[in-house]
Amino acid sequence: METAIVIGAGMVGLSTAWHLQEHGVEVTVVDREGVAAGSSWGNAGYLSPALTLPLADPSVWTYGLKALLDPDAALHVPLRVDPGLWGFLARFLAHGTMRAWHRTMAGLAPINALALEAFDQLTDGGVAARTREGPFVVGFTDHASATSFLDELEWVRGHGMEVEVERLDAARALAPILSEEVTAAYRMNGQRFIEPGPFVNALGDAVRARGARLLTGDAVTEVRPGRAPGVVLATGEQLSADSVVIATGAWMPQLARPLGVRTRVQAGRGYSFSVGVEEPIPHPVYLPAQRIACTPYQGRLRIAGTMEFLGPDEPPRDRRIRAMLTQVDGLFRGVDLDDRRDEWVGSRPVTPDGLPLVGATAGRGVYVAGGHGMWGIVLGPATGRLLAKQIVTGQVDPVLTPFDPLR
């Protein structure tokens, strides 16, 4: 029986493991902490292909300056001597053009089109979790921001994607948490959401129940390519298999760079917390101008947002939580922002061009799956399916071509 080692037990790694099992591969999953321990746990859980867009656009040139000068901006870049970070930012800014936006969107659109069906394949195949239908309520405090958002959706449609959006005359009927300061709101259909932690844990349970070995609390310090590729654990133990997949998110460069994956993967850290509400809301609420995504969460409201370019292992910063509170100040009603729980930070793996890194490395038998930026949750199952097919058959699906990790 063919064997594989998957490093990383988040949505991307476990989806790859599940699909390898679909091909009859015996899988070992290794994670230094545990299932859903990284950026998979506390994000907004949006399964929204229509919102899975390039991070860099022309606005990044003006917003990037604000990020340096305003500590409460939704994007935060530290003023420090860090040549690697500044090199990443230079390449990221270089993609802040409409031409680059459309090039990246053209790469994302085909996998976006597979995203929701890929979740159905998991749940129909025995993963004991579910996705929830929207609608999403998208709110704005000014006409200019709403117009900019609608223009971007038109660009998305131009890449062949379906986007269902309609103006709401009574936004508070769907989203009673919105205050009168939200003067324009839209209903977006055709999108879904999940509570990511439980979903990824259910996926891990399914992978384990189908015979996989899960080694948690074990860090991989080295990946060795070859006829029988393998990994070295921090304990000194060595494991080998027919293939190895590196799916470690923002930590990918530590293992993948020696194997020819030169694209910088920068941790774009996102924060979230939950707050009390007078009455539970049934739908996600998205505030694009504030970069804030809200989701129903166990009778409360999860508020997620911000983008902080720091190292993935640096401690969380309370200032980012305060910045998020500043962003939503006055926009909610019936929401107790002082009743904060579940404060969390997760390191999203961001590439300069906004495209993931999925496919074979220069090392024989070793593959990577990551670099999805903010979209690892929604694109994880489709990524796992396409990569598992490549590993087993040797055929690269055209959807993965833009994501070549050796580009």
Side-chain angles (χ1 to χ4, degrees), residues 205-241:
D205 290 342
V207 168
R208 186 185 294 108
R210 294 178 358 149
R213 183 166 62 136
L214 265 68
L215 303 178
T216 58
D218 286 300
V220 173
T221 59
E222 183 183 357
V223 176
R224 294 177 175 175
R227 184 184 299 273
V231 303
V232 180
L233 304 182
T235 60
E237 182 181 359
Q238 299 184 28
L239 307 174
S240 62

mmCIF file of all heavy atoms in Angstrom, residues 205-241:
data_model
loop_
_atom_site.group_PDB
_atom_site.id
_atom_site.type_symbol
_atom_site.label_atom_id
_atom_site.label_comp_id
_atom_site.label_asym_id
_atom_site.label_seq_id
_atom_site.Cartn_x
_atom_site.Cartn_y
_atom_site.Cartn_z
ATOM 1 N N ASP A 205 -11.167 13.672 13.135
ATOM 2 C CA ASP A 205 -11.754 12.419 13.623
ATOM 3 C C ASP A 205 -12.021 11.457 12.472
ATOM 4 O O ASP A 205 -11.797 10.245 12.590
ATOM 5 C CB ASP A 205 -13.060 12.710 14.365
ATOM 6 C CG ASP A 205 -12.853 13.419 15.693
ATOM 7 O OD1 ASP A 205 -11.716 13.394 16.209
ATOM 8 O OD2 ASP A 205 -13.832 14.005 16.197
ATOM 9 N N ALA A 206 -12.503 12.004 11.341
ATOM 10 C CA ALA A 206 -12.794 11.151 10.186
ATOM 11 C C ALA A 206 -11.519 10.548 9.607
ATOM 12 O O ALA A 206 -11.484 9.360 9.238
ATOM 13 C CB ALA A 206 -13.531 11.963 9.119
ATOM 14 N N VAL A 207 -10.476 11.358 9.523
ATOM 15 C CA VAL A 207 -9.191 10.852 9.006
ATOM 16 C C VAL A 207 -8.660 9.746 9.911
ATOM 17 O O VAL A 207 -8.183 8.698 9.437
ATOM 18 C CB VAL A 207 -8.192 12.023 8.876
ATOM 19 C CG1 VAL A 207 -6.779 11.512 8.634
ATOM 20 C CG2 VAL A 207 -8.613 12.965 7.753
ATOM 21 N N ARG A 208 -8.761 9.954 11.213
ATOM 22 C CA ARG A 208 -8.292 8.948 12.169
ATOM 23 C C ARG A 208 -9.148 7.676 12.089
ATOM 24 O O ARG A 208 -8.622 6.560 12.097
ATOM 25 C CB ARG A 208 -8.325 9.518 13.585
ATOM 26 C CG ARG A 208 -7.707 8.597 14.634
ATOM 27 C CD ARG A 208 -7.877 9.136 16.035
ATOM 28 N NE ARG A 208 -7.130 10.370 16.270
ATOM 29 C CZ ARG A 208 -7.673 11.571 16.397
ATOM 30 N NH1 ARG A 208 -8.990 11.728 16.287
ATOM 31 N NH2 ARG A 208 -6.918 12.625 16.627
ATOM 32 N N ALA A 209 -10.463 7.853 11.977
ATOM 33 C CA ALA A 209 -11.360 6.696 11.929
ATOM 34 C C ALA A 209 -11.123 5.849 10.682
ATOM 35 O O ALA A 209 -11.402 4.646 10.682
ATOM 36 C CB ALA A 209 -12.816 7.170 11.971
ATOM 37 N N ARG A 210 -10.593 6.458 9.630
ATOM 38 C CA ARG A 210 -10.316 5.713 8.394
ATOM 39 C C ARG A 210 -8.914 5.132 8.379
ATOM 40 O O ARG A 210 -8.436 4.686 7.345
ATOM 41 C CB ARG A 210 -10.543 6.628 7.195
ATOM 42 C CG ARG A 210 -12.012 6.989 7.106
ATOM 43 C CD ARG A 210 -12.457 7.934 6.016
ATOM 44 N NE ARG A 210 -11.530 8.522 5.104
ATOM 45 C CZ ARG A 210 -11.849 8.829 3.836
ATOM 46 N NH1 ARG A 210 -13.049 8.532 3.358
ATOM 47 N NH2 ARG A 210 -10.990 9.429 3.065
ATOM 48 N N GLY A 211 -8.262 5.140 9.557
ATOM 49 C CA GLY A 211 -7.014 4.406 9.682
ATOM 50 C C GLY A 211 -5.754 5.223 9.750
ATOM 51 O O GLY A 211 -4.655 4.655 9.863
ATOM 52 N N ALA A 212 -5.845 6.537 9.709
ATOM 53 C CA ALA A 212 -4.634 7.356 9.763
ATOM 54 C C ALA A 212 -4.054 7.352 11.168
ATOM 55 O O ALA A 212 -4.767 7.221 12.166
ATOM 56 C CB ALA A 212 -4.933 8.789 9.333
ATOM 57 N N ARG A 213 -2.766 7.561 11.221
ATOM 58 C CA ARG A 213 -2.089 7.764 12.499
ATOM 59 C C ARG A 213 -1.854 9.255 12.668
ATOM 60 O O ARG A 213 -1.271 9.894 11.790
ATOM 61 C CB ARG A 213 -0.760 7.004 12.518
ATOM 62 C CG ARG A 213 -0.011 7.099 13.847
ATOM 63 C CD ARG A 213 1.113 6.071 13.955
ATOM 64 N NE ARG A 213 2.139 6.244 12.955
ATOM 65 C CZ ARG A 213 3.460 6.179 13.205
ATOM 66 N NH1 ARG A 213 3.878 5.932 14.441
ATOM 67 N NH2 ARG A 213 4.322 6.319 12.237
ATOM 68 N N LEU A 214 -2.323 9.818 13.784
ATOM 69 C CA LEU A 214 -2.116 11.232 14.076
ATOM 70 C C LEU A 214 -1.111 11.364 15.193
ATOM 71 O O LEU A 214 -1.325 10.871 16.304
ATOM 72 C CB LEU A 214 -3.429 11.916 14.475
ATOM 73 C CG LEU A 214 -4.198 12.636 13.347
ATOM 74 C CD1 LEU A 214 -4.729 11.626 12.353
ATOM 75 C CD2 LEU A 214 -5.337 13.469 13.915
ATOM 76 N N LEU A 215 0.014 12.023 14.890
ATOM 77 C CA LEU A 215 1.063 12.270 15.880
ATOM 78 C C LEU A 215 1.023 13.750 16.221
ATOM 79 O O LEU A 215 1.455 14.589 15.439
ATOM 80 C CB LEU A 215 2.435 11.877 15.320
ATOM 81 C CG LEU A 215 2.606 10.436 14.842
ATOM 82 C CD1 LEU A 215 4.003 10.217 14.275
ATOM 83 C CD2 LEU A 215 2.327 9.458 15.968
ATOM 84 N N THR A 216 0.473 14.090 17.367
ATOM 85 C CA THR A 216 0.397 15.489 17.780
ATOM 86 C C THR A 216 1.387 15.742 18.911
ATOM 87 O O THR A 216 1.737 14.842 19.668
ATOM 88 C CB THR A 216 -1.022 15.848 18.230
ATOM 89 O OG1 THR A 216 -1.408 14.981 19.302
ATOM 90 C CG2 THR A 216 -2.006 15.689 17.084
ATOM 91 N N GLY A 217 1.846 16.981 18.986
ATOM 92 C CA GLY A 217 2.877 17.319 19.960
ATOM 93 C C GLY A 217 4.269 16.984 19.474
ATOM 94 O O GLY A 217 5.231 17.057 20.240
ATOM 95 N N ASP A 218 4.381 16.635 18.194
ATOM 96 C CA ASP A 218 5.677 16.292 17.595
ATOM 97 C C ASP A 218 6.004 17.293 16.493
ATOM 98 O O ASP A 218 5.257 17.404 15.513
ATOM 99 C CB ASP A 218 5.653 14.881 16.996
ATOM 100 C CG ASP A 218 5.676 13.796 18.047
ATOM 101 O OD1 ASP A 218 6.650 13.761 18.825
ATOM 102 O OD2 ASP A 218 4.734 12.986 18.091
ATOM 103 N N ALA A 219 7.084 18.016 16.630
ATOM 104 C CA ALA A 219 7.512 18.969 15.604
ATOM 105 C C ALA A 219 8.437 18.277 14.617
ATOM 106 O O ALA A 219 9.306 17.485 15.003
ATOM 107 C CB ALA A 219 8.224 20.153 16.235
ATOM 108 N N VAL A 220 8.251 18.584 13.345
ATOM 109 C CA VAL A 220 9.150 18.098 12.299
ATOM 110 C C VAL A 220 10.257 19.126 12.117
ATOM 111 O O VAL A 220 9.996 20.308 11.891
ATOM 112 C CB VAL A 220 8.395 17.873 10.982
ATOM 113 C CG1 VAL A 220 9.373 17.534 9.856
ATOM 114 C CG2 VAL A 220 7.355 16.775 11.139
ATOM 115 N N THR A 221 11.492 18.691 12.220
ATOM 116 C CA THR A 221 12.627 19.609 12.097
ATOM 117 C C THR A 221 13.284 19.553 10.722
ATOM 118 O O THR A 221 14.012 20.473 10.354
ATOM 119 C CB THR A 221 13.682 19.302 13.167
ATOM 120 O OG1 THR A 221 14.133 17.939 13.012
ATOM 121 C CG2 THR A 221 13.092 19.486 14.567
ATOM 122 N N GLU A 222 13.020 18.499 9.976
ATOM 123 C CA GLU A 222 13.660 18.360 8.664
ATOM 124 C C GLU A 222 12.832 17.427 7.797
ATOM 125 O O GLU A 222 12.249 16.461 8.282
ATOM 126 C CB GLU A 222 15.080 17.785 8.816
ATOM 127 C CG GLU A 222 15.852 17.664 7.516
ATOM 128 C CD GLU A 222 17.219 17.017 7.711
ATOM 129 O OE1 GLU A 222 17.586 16.722 8.864
ATOM 130 O OE2 GLU A 222 17.916 16.788 6.695
ATOM 131 N N VAL A 223 12.789 17.749 6.514
ATOM 132 C CA VAL A 223 12.168 16.875 5.519
ATOM 133 C C VAL A 223 13.257 16.417 4.566
ATOM 134 O O VAL A 223 14.013 17.235 4.030
ATOM 135 C CB VAL A 223 11.051 17.599 4.748
ATOM 136 C CG1 VAL A 223 10.496 16.706 3.645
ATOM 137 C CG2 VAL A 223 9.932 18.022 5.688
ATOM 138 N N ARG A 224 13.338 15.116 4.375
ATOM 139 C CA ARG A 224 14.377 14.547 3.524
ATOM 140 C C ARG A 224 13.757 13.948 2.268
ATOM 141 O O ARG A 224 13.018 12.965 2.340
ATOM 142 C CB ARG A 224 15.151 13.476 4.294
ATOM 143 C CG ARG A 224 15.950 14.044 5.471
ATOM 144 C CD ARG A 224 16.656 12.965 6.259
ATOM 145 N NE ARG A 224 17.502 13.543 7.316
ATOM 146 C CZ ARG A 224 18.160 12.835 8.227
ATOM 147 N NH1 ARG A 224 18.060 11.491 8.223
ATOM 148 N NH2 ARG A 224 18.899 13.441 9.139
ATOM 149 N N PRO A 225 14.026 14.564 1.100
ATOM 150 C CA PRO A 225 13.482 14.023 -0.148
ATOM 151 C C PRO A 225 14.236 12.782 -0.591
ATOM 152 O O PRO A 225 15.301 12.460 -0.052
ATOM 153 C CB PRO A 225 13.689 15.175 -1.123
ATOM 154 C CG PRO A 225 14.914 15.873 -0.614
ATOM 155 C CD PRO A 225 14.861 15.751 0.886
ATOM 156 N N GLY A 226 13.670 12.102 -1.594
ATOM 157 C CA GLY A 226 14.361 10.949 -2.142
ATOM 158 C C GLY A 226 13.399 9.872 -2.598
ATOM 159 O O GLY A 226 12.183 10.067 -2.655
ATOM 160 N N ARG A 227 13.954 8.718 -2.915
ATOM 161 C CA ARG A 227 13.132 7.590 -3.359
ATOM 162 C C ARG A 227 12.113 7.207 -2.279
ATOM 163 O O ARG A 227 10.985 6.832 -2.571
ATOM 164 C CB ARG A 227 14.027 6.396 -3.691
ATOM 165 C CG ARG A 227 13.270 5.195 -4.257
ATOM 166 C CD ARG A 227 14.207 4.024 -4.467
ATOM 167 N NE ARG A 227 15.254 4.362 -5.426
ATOM 168 C CZ ARG A 227 15.123 4.217 -6.749
ATOM 169 N NH1 ARG A 227 13.989 3.755 -7.250
ATOM 170 N NH2 ARG A 227 16.119 4.547 -7.563
ATOM 171 N N ALA A 228 12.547 7.291 -1.024
ATOM 172 C CA ALA A 228 11.659 7.057 0.117
ATOM 173 C C ALA A 228 11.764 8.289 1.014
ATOM 174 O O ALA A 228 12.503 8.296 2.003
ATOM 175 C CB ALA A 228 12.043 5.791 0.865
ATOM 176 N N PRO A 229 11.060 9.360 0.675
ATOM 177 C CA PRO A 229 11.195 10.603 1.446
ATOM 178 C C PRO A 229 10.732 10.406 2.887
ATOM 179 O O PRO A 229 9.934 9.513 3.192
ATOM 180 C CB PRO A 229 10.287 11.578 0.701
ATOM 181 C CG PRO A 229 9.292 10.712 0.005
ATOM 182 C CD PRO A 229 10.034 9.471 -0.372
ATOM 183 N N GLY A 230 11.248 11.264 3.757
ATOM 184 C CA GLY A 230 10.896 11.115 5.157
ATOM 185 C C GLY A 230 11.048 12.406 5.925
ATOM 186 O O GLY A 230 11.398 13.449 5.368
ATOM 187 N N VAL A 231 10.793 12.313 7.220
ATOM 188 C CA VAL A 231 10.876 13.473 8.096
ATOM 189 C C VAL A 231 11.657 13.088 9.343
ATOM 190 O O VAL A 231 11.725 11.915 9.727
ATOM 191 C CB VAL A 231 9.474 13.987 8.495
ATOM 192 C CG1 VAL A 231 8.653 14.326 7.256
ATOM 193 C CG2 VAL A 231 8.727 12.969 9.362
ATOM 194 N N VAL A 232 12.227 14.110 9.956
ATOM 195 C CA VAL A 232 12.922 13.947 11.228
ATOM 196 C C VAL A 232 12.164 14.741 12.269
ATOM 197 O O VAL A 232 11.895 15.937 12.074
ATOM 198 C CB VAL A 232 14.387 14.420 11.143
ATOM 199 C CG1 VAL A 232 15.079 14.240 12.491
ATOM 200 C CG2 VAL A 232 15.132 13.690 10.043
ATOM 201 N N LEU A 233 11.792 14.104 13.367
ATOM 202 C CA LEU A 233 11.075 14.780 14.440
ATOM 203 C C LEU A 233 12.052 15.392 15.431
ATOM 204 O O LEU A 233 13.233 15.027 15.471
ATOM 205 C CB LEU A 233 10.155 13.795 15.158
ATOM 206 C CG LEU A 233 9.134 13.045 14.292
ATOM 207 C CD1 LEU A 233 8.268 12.140 15.162
ATOM 208 C CD2 LEU A 233 8.287 14.007 13.493
ATOM 209 N N ALA A 234 11.552 16.310 16.239
ATOM 210 C CA ALA A 234 12.396 16.961 17.230
ATOM 211 C C ALA A 234 12.978 15.966 18.223
ATOM 212 O O ALA A 234 14.038 16.192 18.809
ATOM 213 C CB ALA A 234 11.596 18.033 17.973
ATOM 214 N N THR A 235 12.314 14.843 18.394
ATOM 215 C CA THR A 235 12.802 13.800 19.296
ATOM 216 C C THR A 235 13.955 13.004 18.701
ATOM 217 O O THR A 235 14.590 12.209 19.394
ATOM 218 C CB THR A 235 11.669 12.826 19.627
ATOM 219 O OG1 THR A 235 11.194 12.233 18.405
ATOM 220 C CG2 THR A 235 10.532 13.536 20.332
ATOM 221 N N GLY A 236 14.209 13.219 17.401
ATOM 222 C CA GLY A 236 15.216 12.438 16.701
ATOM 223 C C GLY A 236 14.640 11.273 15.926
ATOM 224 O O GLY A 236 15.333 10.658 15.099
ATOM 225 N N GLU A 237 13.366 10.948 16.182
ATOM 226 C CA GLU A 237 12.726 9.847 15.459
ATOM 227 C C GLU A 237 12.597 10.199 13.982
ATOM 228 O O GLU A 237 12.358 11.348 13.614
ATOM 229 C CB GLU A 237 11.343 9.576 16.035
ATOM 230 C CG GLU A 237 10.623 8.415 15.366
ATOM 231 C CD GLU A 237 9.230 8.174 15.931
ATOM 232 O OE1 GLU A 237 8.828 8.910 16.859
ATOM 233 O OE2 GLU A 237 8.544 7.265 15.422
ATOM 234 N N GLN A 238 12.767 9.201 13.126
ATOM 235 C CA GLN A 238 12.658 9.392 11.687
ATOM 236 C C GLN A 238 11.512 8.557 11.145
ATOM 237 O O GLN A 238 11.337 7.395 11.539
ATOM 238 C CB GLN A 238 13.965 9.015 10.985
ATOM 239 C CG GLN A 238 15.160 9.850 11.435
ATOM 240 C CD GLN A 238 16.428 9.528 10.667
ATOM 241 O OE1 GLN A 238 16.373 9.104 9.517
ATOM 242 N NE2 GLN A 238 17.579 9.748 11.293
ATOM 243 N N LEU A 239 10.736 9.151 10.251
ATOM 244 C CA LEU A 239 9.633 8.468 9.596
ATOM 245 C C LEU A 239 9.842 8.558 8.095
ATOM 246 O O LEU A 239 10.340 9.564 7.590
ATOM 247 C CB LEU A 239 8.293 9.121 9.954
ATOM 248 C CG LEU A 239 7.950 9.314 11.439
ATOM 249 C CD1 LEU A 239 6.656 10.098 11.567
ATOM 250 C CD2 LEU A 239 7.841 7.966 12.131
ATOM 251 N N SER A 240 9.453 7.538 7.373
ATOM 252 C CA SER A 240 9.574 7.569 5.916
ATOM 253 C C SER A 240 8.274 7.089 5.283
ATOM 254 O O SER A 240 7.463 6.416 5.920
ATOM 255 C CB SER A 240 10.743 6.693 5.441
ATOM 256 O OG SER A 240 10.532 5.343 5.796
ATOM 257 N N ALA A 241 8.072 7.473 4.015
ATOM 258 C CA ALA A 241 6.857 7.120 3.290
ATOM 259 C C ALA A 241 7.141 7.242 1.803
ATOM 260 O O ALA A 241 8.273 7.537 1.386
ATOM 261 C CB ALA A 241 5.704 8.031 3.707
#
